[in-house]
Amino acid sequence: MTSAGAIAWRRAGAMAPASLLVLAFLALPMLLMLRYSFNSFVPGKFMVEALTLENYVKLATDPYYRHVLVLTLGVSVCVTLLTLIVGWPVAQFLARTQSRHKGLMLLAVVLPLFMGNAVRAAGWMVAFGREGLVNRLLEAVGLIEAPLQIMFTPTAVIIGIVSVNLSYVVLTLSSVIEGIDRRAEEAALSLGATPFETWRLVTLPLALPGLLAAGVLSFILSMNAYATPVLLGGPSFQMMAPVVADQVLQRANWPFGASLGFVLMLVTLGLTAGANWLVGRRYGR
Amino acid sequence: MTESITRRRFVQGVGAGAAIAGLAPAGGLIGTAQAAGGPVVVGTWGGDYQNLMDQYINQPIIKPTGYEIVFDTGQDTARKTKLLAEHPLPRGSMDVVALTRAGGYEMWKNDTLLELDPKKMPNYSHVLDKLRTPYSIPHIYTGRVILYNPKYVKDKPTSYNDLWNPAYAGKVGVIDIQYGTTIESAAMIAGGSMSNYEPGKAKLLELKKAGVKIYPTNEAMAAALKTEEVWMCIMWKARGVMWQNAGIPIEIANPKEGIVLYISDQVIAKNAKNKDGAYAWLNGLLDPAAQIQFAQNMGYNPTVDNAPIPADLKARIEFPPEVTYLNQDQDYLAKNDGALKDWWDKEFKA
């Protein structure tokens, strides 16, 4: 009989190739960037080797970067809530439908993922422009007289990121809802619960792990959004990922770009872990 | 004590990584000198600029000589970083590098560029005196002007001050990536100079108060002018000519403060692998027939005195003889660009 130790070793062996790949292509470059974040930047000199905290001090003390971080957090929370609210009914419908077109419906949800974020944002730019589809429609039905400024507003960015994240959220939620035993809901209904009570007291708690996973996914994607805020938010709307890119690509300031990137990653990880812990404690997961 | 620049280790690391990953071409890019002919790597902007260089310089002029031009397309900041990072290596990854005049100066000061030998470029004798440097060939040039929509701006602007006219409040646009030239233009009418942009900041904040619109790119500005969302902006004349060709309803006005030159340079990296090929390429850039093509297709002025352009085009892209040409103070820009960008992001755009 195979001992438990041997099984553990075999499992470790099976995981080794993937783990080594992750280590080589994800962890090591990140460690290199962490090291860069302690270097100094002298304009025109690329990078001067040092061991200084000046980049992190600048980040913590400069209100501009704090504002960028807070704005990114605010947008990400809004986007996450919106995707969950909008995505849930779609996911529940997909999970419960008996239609023979279910496959096609799922394909329709996945279809937006076939094109890149930048292409999708370009589509929104056409729709949101002063002469764009949205303004034309609103004018045609007499809701507005002069074109609305939609491009380069937080609304445009939030709509853009929601449209990107919705597919992920719907797919995650529907697979979880599909796994919930319908008999539990039917039992609640037969015992006199209203449909809303059934949803609140039975379906929602059972779907909570999926809801958390979908929320975390949407939150992480929003925190790191690049193309959508750049294209739809315009020059004055600054989120973290574009600011990191600006430091590295436009100013060649790798040390500060690296420190911004690390703070973004740590804040995202911290909040994700915190949410996981809170939900786990509340519902005893 | 801090040690200056970790570029050697950085690039060696990248090279080693590439080799381990099997990415280094066999016998190829890393560490081999070239004999006559062979590949010449040209780091450049993409789009029309690269296409025209390929069509009118590479194919007809360079290819028949046996050199193989390889375009390394990207933004100029990335090229500057590469030059600095590869500086300590005996052989760099680029032979020729396209840079703005300011970028070229910065790289020259960092000792990454080759001092050019004009004797190796027969076309060099025709380069306009006002555009010459010891380390670059000026490929194309234009000047900064005011673009305006004559339907709304009835009096032709004569000064950058006209953008501050209250009659046009909310109808003036500026471009995010042109932060330096925008602050510079404001400084020119606020008591500043090419070596002191500081007075321009307060002036620009007045424009912000009046409701200036900020667009991310030149293309976004073109769209705003086309839809008449804005009526006036500061722009390079060549772009203005191209936008007129595209049907955008604008006219071009020369500010009396002077015409600041925009020069697109190309330089040879000090550690270029194929210096002969690089010289052949630079000479090709100055070819009169190719220069005329850039004037016709992009609205830039030829940088040589032997490239006659048709009279109608000349009238549209050249400046009248009475204008004063101004050159940017490259030392000032190299020292202050980062701080100007910070101010732009944190104060003006906020």
Side-chain angles (χ1 to χ4, degrees):
Chain A
M1 200 179 121
T2 320
S3 72
I7 291 173
W9 273 111
R10 213 175 290 167
R11 281 184 184 157
M15 282 168 62
S19 308
L20 284 175
L21 274 179
V22 169
L23 191 72
F25 291 106
L26 187 71
L28 290 180
M30 279 208 293
L31 280 176
L32 194 63
M33 289 304 277
L34 179 65
R35 175 66 193 88
Y36 286 172
S37 74
F38 296 114
N39 280 343
S40 260
F41 175 67
V42 178
K45 293 276 180 206
F46 182 41
M47 192 152 61
V48 177
E49 193 166 302
L51 210 56
T52 169
L53 285 172
E54 66 185 26
N55 297 306
Y56 290 98
V57 171
K58 179 177 168 187
L59 213 161
T61 53
D62 191 327
Y64 173 74
Y65 296 105
R66 284 208 304 272
H67 167 75
V68 172
L69 187 57
V70 169
L71 180 72
T72 308
L73 282 169
V75 168
S76 302
V77 169
C78 274
V79 165
T80 303
L81 291 176
L82 276 172
T83 46
L84 291 176
I85 292 167
V86 176
W88 180 284
V90 182
Q92 183 154 350
F93 174 79
L94 277 174
R96 297 294 188 221
T97 185
Q98 303 294 323
S99 166
R100 60 194 175 93
H101 300 302
K102 186 173 175 176
L104 273 179
M105 292 180 206
L106 271 173
L107 185 68
V109 172
V110 179
L111 210 57
L113 300 178
F114 281 43
M115 64 180 106
N117 292 351
V119 178
R120 226 172 318 173
W124 283 117
M125 285 167 80
V126 175
F128 289 157
R130 283 175 68 82
E131 307 283 321
L133 192 70
V134 174
N135 270 320
R136 286 275 168 86
L137 275 175
L138 292 175
E139 274 179 312
V141 297
L143 279 175
I144 54 168
E145 282 178 6
L148 290 177
Q149 177 70 38
I150 314 173
M151 271 299 286
F152 302 162
T153 63
T155 311
V157 178
I158 290 173
I159 293 175
I161 306 180
V162 165
S163 77
V164 172
N165 293 5
L166 210 51
S167 300
Y168 297 100
V169 168
V170 168
L171 287 177
T172 312
L173 282 178
S174 72
S175 67
V176 173
I177 298 171
E178 220 161 342
I180 295 173
D181 193 342
R182 288 211 74 165
R183 286 173 298 182
E185 292 169 343
E186 284 161 4
L189 287 167
S190 69
L191 290 169
T194 63
F196 179 70
E197 280 170 334
T198 307
W199 177 81
R200 189 172 66 84
L201 298 170
V202 179
T203 319
L204 187 63
L206 285 173
L208 209 66
L211 199 71
L212 183 71
V216 163
L217 197 60
S218 179
F219 181 75
I220 293 173
L221 288 170
S222 311
M223 286 292 284
N224 295 291
Y226 175 75
T228 314
V230 165
L231 294 171
L232 300 181
S236 301
F237 191 84
Q238 297 288 354
M239 282 176 69
M240 281 296 272
V243 169
V244 174
D246 176 63
Q247 289 294 335
V248 174
L249 299 177
Q250 299 300 324
R251 306 187 191 208
N253 188 345
W254 287 34
F256 191 55
S259 64
L260 277 170
F262 261 88
V263 167
L264 174 63
M265 193 177 71
L266 288 179
V267 169
T268 311
L269 273 177
L271 288 173
T272 305
N276 212 357
W277 178 76
L278 265 180
V279 172
R281 211 173 65 144
R282 170 76 176 78
Y283 291 92
R285 281 173 60 239
Chain B
M1 197 185 119
T2 59
E3 179 194 324
S4 170
I5 313 173
T6 60
R7 296 181 291 244
R8 176 183 290 271
R9 247 178 278 168
F10 169 77
V11 174
Q12 282 169 342
V14 170
I20 289 164
L23 299 175
L29 291 176
I30 300 169
T32 46
Q34 291 298 328
V40 182
V41 181
V42 178
T44 175
W45 293 278
D48 286 347
Y49 185 62
Q50 181 185 318
N51 293 340
L52 289 173
M53 286 196 296
D54 187 46
Q55 193 178 346
Y56 295 109
I57 300 164
N58 182 26
Q59 302 297 339
I61 302 171
I62 305 297
K63 224 173 183 177
T65 63
Y67 290 112
E68 181 203 343
I69 299 298
V70 180
F71 291 112
D72 176 3
T73 312
Q75 289 305 311
D76 53 343
T77 313
R79 290 196 288 281
K80 288 195 288 181
T81 306
K82 256 189 208 176
L83 276 175
L84 290 168
E86 296 173 349
H87 175 47
L89 300 178
R91 294 281 179 265
S93 62
M94 293 180 292
D95 297 301
V96 176
V97 188
L99 294 168
T100 60
R101 171 102 343 162
Y105 179 81
E106 193 186 340
M107 292 301 103
W108 169 247
K109 283 283 166 190
N110 275 288
D111 198 27
T112 62
L113 306 183
L114 191 73
E115 182 166 356
L116 298 180
D117 179 359
K119 289 198 287 292
K120 294 187 176 174
M121 300 173 287
N123 288 329
Y124 192 84
S125 58
H126 292 283
V127 169
L128 302 178
D129 283 342
K130 67 180 175 202
L131 304 176
R132 291 183 181 207
T133 76
Y135 54 86
S136 71
I137 68 105
H139 179 214
I140 48 179
Y141 84 98
T142 185
R144 199 163 72 232
V145 293
I146 300 165
L147 305 184
Y148 67 101
N149 185 332
K151 190 166 131 192
Y152 302 103
V153 181
K154 298 291 182 199
D155 298 322
K156 182 175 181 173
T158 56
S159 158
Y160 286 126
N161 245 324
D162 292 327
L163 280 91
W164 274 256
N165 184 336
Y168 310 128
K171 291 294 178 185
V172 172
V174 295
I175 302 165
D176 194 24
I177 55 171
Q178 303 274 9
Y179 62 92
T181 52
T182 308
I183 305 173
E184 181 187 277
S185 305
M188 289 163 76
I189 50 166
S193 69
M194 304 304 277
S195 308
N196 178 21
Y197 291 7
E198 288 307 308
K201 292 179 176 175
K203 191 77 183 165
L204 271 179
L205 290 177
E206 285 174 29
L207 201 60
K208 180 183 173 183
K209 224 179 193 174
V212 70
K213 293 198 165 67
I214 310 171
Y215 296 94
T217 57
N218 298 341
E219 290 70 24
M221 175 61 86
L225 286 166
K226 193 174 172 78
T227 58
E228 302 181 354
E229 194 174 312
V230 291
W231 304 338
M232 237 193 308
C233 72
I234 300 167
M235 190 25 82
W236 306 112
K237 186 168 185 176
R239 287 268 180 177
V241 172
M242 288 298 95
W243 291 354
Q244 284 178 329
N245 292 350
I248 296 172
I250 47 156
E251 296 290 335
I252 296 171
N254 300 322
K256 66 180 179 202
E257 290 77 23
I259 300 295
V260 181
L261 291 173
Y262 171 83
I263 305 157
S264 193
D265 277 335
Q266 298 213 13
V267 299
I268 301 179
K270 210 170 196 175
N271 53 7
K273 276 191 290 240
N274 193 346
K275 292 197 174 74
D276 290 338
Y279 272 116
W281 173 256
L282 293 194
N283 190 54
L285 292 173
L286 300 172
D287 180 82
Q291 287 271 328
I292 292 170
Q293 289 299 334
F294 275 87
Q296 280 175 337
N297 287 289
M298 290 184 81
Y300 284 89
N301 294 283
T303 54
V304 290
D305 61 14
N306 61 341
I309 46 177
D312 54 338
L313 181 65
K314 195 176 167 137
R316 292 183 63 205
I317 67 173
E318 279 201 346
F319 291 95
E322 68 272 15
V323 300
T324 315
Y325 289 106
L326 298 169
N327 272 308
Q328 290 179 315
D329 179 345
Q330 306 300 354
D331 265 327
Y332 177 79
L333 274 177
K335 284 193 193 102
N336 293 285
D337 185 63
L340 292 170
K341 175 89 166 84
D342 268 346
W343 176 83
W344 179 265
D345 285 345
K346 295 176 186 175
E347 305 282 333
F348 184 68
K349 276 168 42 180

